[in-house]
Amino acid sequence: VTDGPVSNPTAESSPAGPSATPPAEPDPLPLAAPGAGFVFDDADPPVFSNASVHDPSVFRADDWFYVIGSHLASAKTRDFISWTQVSAGPQKGNALVDDPAAEFAAALEYAKTDTFWAGDIHAMPNGQYFMYYCVCVGNAPLGAIGLAAADAPEGPYSDRGMFIQSGSFPPEGGRYDATVHPNAIDPHAFFDNDGLFWMVYGSYSGGIFILQMDSETGLPYPGQENFGYGKKLLGGNHSRIEGAYILYSPESEYYYMFLSFGGLGSGDGYNIRVCRSKNPDGPYEDALGQDMLSCRGAVNSFFDDNSIEPYGVKLMGGYQFRHEEGEPGRTTGYLSPGHNSAYYDADSGRYYLIFHTRFTNRGEAHEIRVHEMFINGDGWPVVSPFRFDGGAARAFTPEQLTGHWKLIHHERDINTRAKISQTAAFLPDGTVSGELEGTWALGGDGRTASVTVGGVPYSGVFLRCWDQDNQMWVQAFTALSADGTALWGAGVALE
């Protein structure tokens, strides 16, 4: 049974997909920016520099943060704002591996491909860096995951061999079934809160699996369930779910598993979802309390998005803040953001979501983006509507938040077009009026956001962000409903 393409950072053959077309403008309201007339921040604007790494997986080495992704592409940054490309493809002379075709010849021969997919690098306690690489033919679940090691984060990495394969016989006997067994691709290795080492992996095909690993050898312990493939966490029947990444939060004491639903092309609906567990190997649940093991395509189906859309907390999909009259810039939206990693900085207590995205009206071009995350009052991550700008957290007064806002409902669908913002006013009496109606409130800490629209309450945080389209600092908020639906807001960017 064939499987669809798992990832493709260049995607030359993928259709560009529809770009976001804003709906007809509503009757104009007298606009005022939140906190109009208040000099909110005189900080210098951030200076961004971009890099292109599809499926970026983050790791830290001293003062640098690195990401590695598909095609052995990699980049580094000190601040999540300014990026430097380290490597860009698997050709000879790659900065990480001088001759990838020769170094990983056995795995490439097994998978009948020359394509490297989403890899992962982990800094180990012994001072070495372990690279978990994967190769796959791309249109079938014929893949392999292997281990390479280096003494420095930028290599050179030396192959220690592939250790798990898909598409033929499972590693410990039995018969391979693509509807129930994993595709050997998209590995992410991590230490849990008790110091145990794990690897989560899989894409489409039979779903997402987790293996307990030996941190000394970097290899899985033998004798694990499912013929050595490990414990199944979710997915199956070729449902479009991939890019699993697990992060522990000492604040909530949950393990969060991030996933990408949908297809990676600009018109294919990639979106980032999350579920959580008290244990690294599950069971994982979403905000509705649904066991993610039930999240899979129907029997005998292929790319059955309808069956998986109701599962997981959808943190973000394609979106675009609509240009409002009087704003100085024109907006650019995200399309198919996904295949993320995540990072928790113990020193600052801040959380970061690192992903790639395509953009409205830019075809299949993609870049790394980093957005800050926060844990809301219900113990779920919520994601800033704007890219990380390096600024400190801010506290607000209600007066600074009254005015006109642009609100985005992310909903639950695998949206192939950008969600477009609607305009609403946050009034001084705590009501919301305009295209959306309800109430809003600021918590006593000056940051907690409580917003109700359409009768649904949302919990999250207010924050200050740099609106790159309009080149202006704006107030914003990010929040989730109790059932796990995301609502974002951005102040209309007026002086």
Side-chain angles (χ1 to χ4, degrees):
V1 180
T2 60
D3 220 5
V6 179
S7 302
N8 188 345
T10 53
E12 289 88 351
S13 62
S14 296
S19 297
T21 302
E25 297 287 340
D27 293 336
L29 296 168
L31 295 182
F38 176 78
V39 181
F40 184 69
D41 203 316
D42 60 359
D44 292 333
V47 179
F48 297 107
S49 61
N50 300 318
S52 183
V53 176
H54 210 267
D55 314 322
S57 183
V58 67
F59 69 99
R60 186 169 186 170
D62 298 322
D63 294 332
W64 287 96
F65 297 96
Y66 287 83
V67 293
I68 181 174
S70 289
H71 302 286
L72 294 181
S74 60
K76 64 182 179 181
T77 180
R78 291 185 187 272
D79 55 12
F80 289 131
I81 296 172
S82 178
W83 289 89
T84 299
Q85 198 85 33
V86 175
S87 60
Q91 69 278 357
K92 194 169 183 178
N94 182 287
L96 304 178
V97 184
D98 181 63
D99 191 347
E103 191 69 33
F104 304 119
L108 293 168
E109 181 180 359
Y110 170 83
K112 297 179 172 55
T113 186
D114 60 0
T115 303
F116 292 84
W117 299 103
D120 183 58
I121 294 178
H122 202 90
M124 302 303 291
N126 65 4
Q128 285 195 307
Y129 293 86
F130 282 179
M131 174 197 288
Y132 291 96
Y133 64 88
C134 62
V135 296
C136 181
V137 70
N139 61 359
L142 182 63
I145 295 173
L147 173 66
D151 294 326
E154 296 184 28
Y157 285 86
S158 298
D159 188 24
R160 294 188 177 178
M162 56 181 167
F163 59 87
I164 192 162
Q165 299 89 37
S166 58
S168 61
F169 294 103
E172 296 177 9
R175 184 171 179 267
Y176 183 81
D177 182 344
T179 67
V180 298
H181 293 140
N183 192 7
I185 196 170
D186 292 358
H188 163 56
F190 67 99
F191 283 95
D192 70 15
N193 194 46
D194 295 319
L196 299 178
F197 195 45
W198 303 84
M199 186 185 79
V200 62
Y201 71 104
S203 173
Y204 291 27
S205 299
I208 306 299
F209 285 65
I210 191 167
L211 283 163
Q212 190 167 354
M213 309 287 282
D214 183 336
S215 61
E216 293 291 330
T217 65
L219 302 175
Y221 289 113
Q224 300 189 57
E225 56 190 296
N226 290 311
F227 302 110
Y229 281 127
K231 184 177 181 180
K232 184 169 183 172
L233 299 179
L234 73 151
N237 295 323
H238 306 289
S239 52
R240 298 199 298 172
I241 305 171
E242 63 184 10
Y245 195 96
I246 295 177
L247 179 72
Y248 178 75
S249 166
E251 180 179 351
S252 67
E253 299 182 340
Y254 277 106
Y255 292 90
Y256 296 100
M257 178 165 57
F258 299 87
L259 301 154
S260 290
F261 281 32
L264 62 93
S266 62
D268 295 335
Y270 234 21
N271 62 95
I272 299 173
R273 305 201 181 205
V274 71
C275 48
R276 69 186 185 186
S277 175
K278 287 294 185 179
N279 305 300
D281 60 343
Y284 282 84
E285 294 183 346
D286 62 16
L288 290 170
Q290 299 176 116
D291 188 338
M292 294 298 288
L293 263 176
S294 300
C295 178
R296 60 183 181 272
V299 175
N300 297 322
S301 68
F302 201 84
F303 295 5
D304 179 12
D305 289 346
N306 290 332
S307 292
I308 64 175
E309 277 184 335
Y311 290 88
V313 172
K314 181 183 171 187
L315 296 177
M316 64 186 298
Y319 71 97
Q320 184 170 5
F321 284 111
R322 185 173 63 195
H323 172 76
E324 299 289 350
E325 184 178 357
E327 291 186 314
R330 290 287 173 176
T331 62
T332 300
Y334 287 4
L335 290 175
S336 291
H339 207 123
N340 72 280
S341 54
Y343 184 79
Y344 171 71
D345 181 11
D347 293 334
S348 66
R350 301 178 87 159
Y351 299 84
Y352 302 92
L353 188 74
I354 302 101
F355 57 97
H356 74 258
T357 187
R358 289 161 171 80
F359 305 91
T360 54
N361 301 312
R362 285 182 56 185
E364 300 305 318
H366 56 81
E367 293 172 352
I368 302 165
R369 286 296 181 266
V370 179
H371 287 217
E372 191 167 2
M373 291 190 297
F374 310 85
I375 304 298
N376 77 353
D378 296 321
W380 287 100
V382 292
V383 180
S384 170
F386 294 94
R387 67 189 298 186
F388 178 65
D389 54 52
R394 297 291 194 272
F396 298 87
T397 66
E399 292 76 18
Q400 293 164 8
L401 301 173
T402 58
H404 278 76
W405 289 76
K406 299 179 285 188
L407 307 183
I408 288 178
H409 271 293
H410 278 286
E411 302 176 294
R412 292 186 174 277
D413 57 329
I414 295 175
N415 58 298
T416 58
R417 299 176 68 90
K419 301 287 186 182
I420 305 298
S421 63
Q422 297 172 279
T423 307
F426 281 23
L427 301 177
D429 65 358
T431 60
V432 177
S433 67
E435 292 182 86
L436 297 171
E437 296 186 344
T439 62
W440 72 278
L442 173 67
D445 60 358
R447 299 189 66 225
T448 299
S450 299
V451 180
T452 297
V453 293
V456 178
Y458 297 81
S459 172
V461 296
F462 287 106
L463 56 154
R464 189 279 327 253
C465 295
W466 179 252
D467 180 343
Q468 193 173 6
D469 289 322
N470 291 296
Q471 294 292 294
M472 190 179 297
W473 294 107
V474 298
Q475 289 90 330
F477 74 82
T478 174
L480 280 175
S481 62
D483 65 356
T485 304
L487 179 71
W488 285 359
V492 174
L494 301 175
E495 296 285 1

